[in-house]
Amino acid sequence: MASKATQTSVGDTGSSTQLVAANPDRVGLLITNTSTAILYLLLGAGTASATTAHSWRCAASGGQVDLSNLSGRCWKGAVQGIWASDAGGEANITELE
């Protein structure tokens, strides 16, 4: 059960950027894309790419990805992101511990 929620935001960019660092205490992670561009997410370290290196595609204008229950467990590693373009908007992130 979570006892702490932390909200952060990362502005959209056409370059790969870390959205959230690894956290062994994480029990929940929700990412909402407010940009008008698609957000491509890469789980783990590395460089996210819209064409070849991404784990998830998050729809533009309100798309959400819940990484709290991947195979019955929350993703505790880092998450990288890259948008299809720098269109204005951000990733709103809620991390639960």
Side-chain angles (χ1 to χ4, degrees):
M1 182 68 128
S3 61
K4 177 183 173 186
T6 303
Q7 289 81 31
T8 57
S9 296
V10 177
D12 68 358
T13 178
S15 301
S16 182
T17 189
Q18 182 169 284
L19 300 179
V20 63
N23 180 353
D25 298 324
R26 182 184 303 141
V27 297
L29 183 63
L30 178 65
I31 300 172
T32 303
N33 180 21
T34 68
S35 174
T36 56
I38 295 167
L39 169 59
Y40 297 91
L41 301 171
L42 175 66
L43 302 183
T47 302
S49 163
T51 56
T52 59
H54 62 273
S55 309
W56 230 283
R57 180 181 182 268
C58 187
S61 303
Q64 292 186 326
V65 173
D66 185 349
L67 299 173
S68 302
N69 190 15
L70 297 175
S71 299
R73 299 206 171 130
C74 180
W75 175 254
K76 296 181 186 292
V79 180
Q80 317 303 319
I82 187 170
W83 281 263
S85 65
D86 185 357
E90 59 197 14
N92 293 329
I93 302 157
T94 301
E95 183 174 28
L96 303 174
E97 293 182 72

